[in-house]
Amino acid sequence: MGFNFQDIRKDFPILDQRVNKHPWVYFDNAATAQRPKVVLEKIREFSVITNANIHRGTHDHAIRTTEAYENARDIVKEFLHAEAREEIIFTHGTTESINLVARSFCEKFLTTGDEIIVTEMEHHANIVPWQMACERHQATLKVLPFSDKGELRMELLETLITKRTKIIAVAHVSNTLGTVNPIEEIIQIAHSHNIPVLIDGAQSVPHASIDVQKLDCDFYAFSGHKIYGPTGIGILYGKRSLLEVMPPFLGGGEMIDQVTFKKTTYNELPHKFEAGTPHYVGAIALGSAIQYVQNIGLDKIAAYEHQLLNYATNQMKALGDLQIFGESPAKTGVICFKLDQIHPFDLGTLLDQLGIAVRTGRLCADPVMDHYQVTAMTRASFAFYNSEEEIDLFIKALQRIRSMF
Ligand code: PMP
């Protein structure tokens, strides 16, 4: 499989426990991933040994935290292959990153009668901020639909684009269907009309290496906690030419150059978009998480997870009367499904009784539920620390639950 599973598993001691008297099987990785020891140690180090606010002090601890924070920015810059460190903004997560763009970009560029395009498979975090922007600016939100197979209906994209289209926002990977969207093609089409593109990378960064320069995307957003880092920290990559002309998102300390009651001038990038005390411990630990996955190799991670996906998909299909939502060949380790007529909440609760953690509900993607006319789904999502043995336990659990109904 290209990397040592036993060694990797030792890095995640949290997985080594029992839930409801069964070995814990954690298949809720698309909601949040577990953190390796190096990340937890970094959080501890910058809580117990070193702590001071960043960018403000001249004393030893303030210098150490500031250096570690800015070093984390460099790690993210290299990770995303961005051109400049000024293009990397620390936020609280994907949600805040998208809100930042929807607020600030739209304030600058969106006017009455303009249009924004999103897709039918977006997470609410990539729908609602744009709806709010449309309401503020009397603009229209247009939606690119997906097929029942779970693939974007690319043939319709050009028909949605008009002279009034100001931005296209699309998930790199769907959190429900697992589909890896053809973002290269979307960006190319959008740019041929001079339309910038925001990519929601929440579900892609843990599974694929990203090169924002090659992609030529204008914005790329992701969350630390989905890539084995802490919660409460995220990234917005933005092209410098755009970030420079966009107004600040939040006002406060650090984002200013000079403040007088007459006029305030703003700091340079990236600080213009980082008002107040940031989650610097989270940023530093995110740097460690990124280095951790880089050391394993994202290509190896993707190949192994794909193996898990295929293994699980084949076994689930063999159960019969099990519907999988999203069957694109370009897919990450996310399987949303329905077993017989068992309600996802019952299924999730019974799986938990057998030690298996999955996600149930509407998965912050109401339009996807509406597409398939279901009220909820069950989702199993895999990470590189999961195994085929765990999938076997999951399949056995599904068989057992089915026999109870
Ligand atoms: N977009 C996608 C595709 C997601 O899966 C998620 C998290 N489920 C988000 C956005 C929001 O991420 P966060 O809650 O970390 O801000």
Side-chain angles (χ1 to χ4, degrees):
M1 74 186 173
F3 60 90
N4 190 325
F5 179 77
Q6 296 308 335
D7 283 352
I8 281 170
R9 196 69 187 195
K10 278 188 216 138
D11 292 336
F12 295 87
I14 193 169
L15 296 171
D16 197 13
Q17 59 179 296
R18 296 178 89 79
V19 166
N20 294 321
K21 302 198 179 109
H22 294 274
W24 191 37
V25 174
Y26 186 73
F27 282 173
D28 196 15
N29 295 286
T32 200
Q34 301 303 336
R35 291 158 292 177
K37 277 196 276 191
V38 279
V39 171
L40 300 172
E41 276 157 21
K42 202 49 105 180
I43 295 170
R44 188 185 168 278
E45 182 190 338
F46 281 89
S47 308
V48 177
I49 302 168
T50 305
N51 184 39
N53 207 333
I54 57 163
H55 294 145
R56 285 159 170 81
T58 49
H59 58 85
D60 179 67
H61 279 236
I63 293 165
R64 278 198 257 158
T65 49
T66 303
E67 279 178 4
Y69 179 77
E70 289 303 333
N71 180 47
R73 196 189 308 276
D74 289 331
I75 294 170
V76 177
K77 178 211 161 231
E78 294 300 318
F79 177 61
L80 292 179
H81 300 91
E83 192 182 339
R85 66 193 313 282
E86 289 77 14
E87 298 177 317
I88 305 298
I89 316 288
F90 284 112
T91 65
H92 291 112
T94 311
T95 302
E96 190 189 317
S97 299
I98 297 172
N99 273 276
L100 190 163
V101 179
R103 167 71 67 164
S104 170
F105 175 91
C106 293
E107 197 172 317
K108 176 83 186 167
F109 294 107
L110 202 71
T111 53
T112 306
D114 281 344
E115 295 164 0
I116 293 173
I117 299 176
V118 296
T119 87
E120 191 189 3
M121 66 168 77
E122 299 309 311
H123 185 282
H124 295 162
N126 203 24
I127 299 174
V128 184
W130 303 112
Q131 269 176 333
M132 290 161 68
C134 285
E135 266 177 36
R136 275 197 305 274
H137 300 280
Q138 286 80 52
T140 305
L141 191 69
K142 288 179 150 183
V143 183
L144 179 66
F146 64 84
S147 67
D148 289 348
K149 200 174 166 193
E151 293 177 332
L152 288 176
R153 302 215 14 221
M154 288 298 291
E155 75 280 8
L156 298 177
L157 181 57
E158 288 272 13
T159 66
L160 290 178
I161 293 174
T162 71
K163 286 201 165 57
R164 303 305 304 262
T165 310
K166 284 294 158 75
I167 190 164
I168 298 177
V170 56
H172 193 170
V173 171
S174 155
N175 70 312
T176 46
L177 309 167
T179 314
V180 183
N181 285 320
I183 57 167
E184 295 84 352
E185 193 186 339
I186 294 172
I187 292 165
Q188 213 185 338
I189 293 171
H191 284 181
S192 71
H193 296 271
N194 287 324
I195 302 164
V197 180
L198 175 139
I199 304 295
D200 173 353
Q203 296 294 344
S204 45
V205 284
H207 313 291
S209 50
I210 307 298
D211 186 328
V212 289
Q213 289 191 77
K214 242 192 227 155
L215 283 172
D216 199 25
C217 58
D218 301 274
F219 301 101
Y220 200 98
F222 74 92
S223 300
H225 69 102
K226 307 230 193 234
I227 183 167
Y228 315 101
T231 55
I233 189 75
I235 296 295
L236 173 68
Y237 157 81
K239 276 186 187 160
R240 189 205 283 260
S241 55
L242 283 168
L243 292 177
E244 246 154 22
V245 295
M246 283 159 51
F249 173 49
L250 299 173
E254 190 59 26
M255 52 74 72
I256 52 87
D257 172 32
Q258 268 189 335
V259 178
T260 66
F261 284 113
K262 212 161 155 214
K263 182 168 173 59
T264 289
T265 51
Y266 304 126
N267 206 340
E268 293 176 341
L269 292 174
H271 311 292
K272 180 172 99 175
F273 289 108
E274 292 182 1
T277 301
H279 183 17
Y280 53 87
V281 180
I284 295 164
L286 171 60
S288 293
I290 288 174
Q291 285 177 326
Y292 178 82
V293 291
Q294 282 178 322
N295 284 341
I296 297 174
L298 271 156
D299 291 348
K300 287 184 193 160
I301 288 175
Y304 177 69
E305 288 175 348
H306 210 75
Q307 190 181 310
L308 292 181
L309 171 71
N310 288 341
Y311 186 77
T313 305
N314 291 339
Q315 298 223 48
M316 287 167 82
K317 279 190 173 163
L319 289 175
D321 211 8
L322 182 145
Q323 184 184 358
I324 291 180
F325 302 100
E327 296 204 83
S328 171
K331 214 180 144 171
T332 60
V334 168
I335 306 180
C336 272
F337 66 101
K338 181 176 151 206
L339 181 68
D340 305 332
Q341 294 308 316
I342 306 172
H343 194 280
F345 291 138
D346 294 333
L347 185 55
T349 307
L350 291 165
L351 282 168
D352 180 59
Q353 290 301 307
L354 299 168
I356 296 164
V358 293
R359 171 90 147 89
T360 56
R362 300 179 66 76
L363 310 176
C364 297
D366 281 1
V368 175
M369 303 300 126
D370 293 344
H371 180 105
Y372 292 104
Q373 296 182 326
V374 295
T375 52
M377 290 181 183
T378 306
R379 179 181 71 190
S381 54
F382 313 119
F384 59 87
Y385 45 61
N386 292 128
S387 66
E388 292 185 355
E389 289 71 34
E390 289 179 322
I391 292 170
D392 291 340
L393 291 175
F394 171 60
I395 298 292
K396 268 197 202 123
L398 292 179
Q399 282 167 328
R400 194 167 152 193
I401 292 165
R402 168 180 269 175
S403 69
M404 290 160 59
F405 277 80

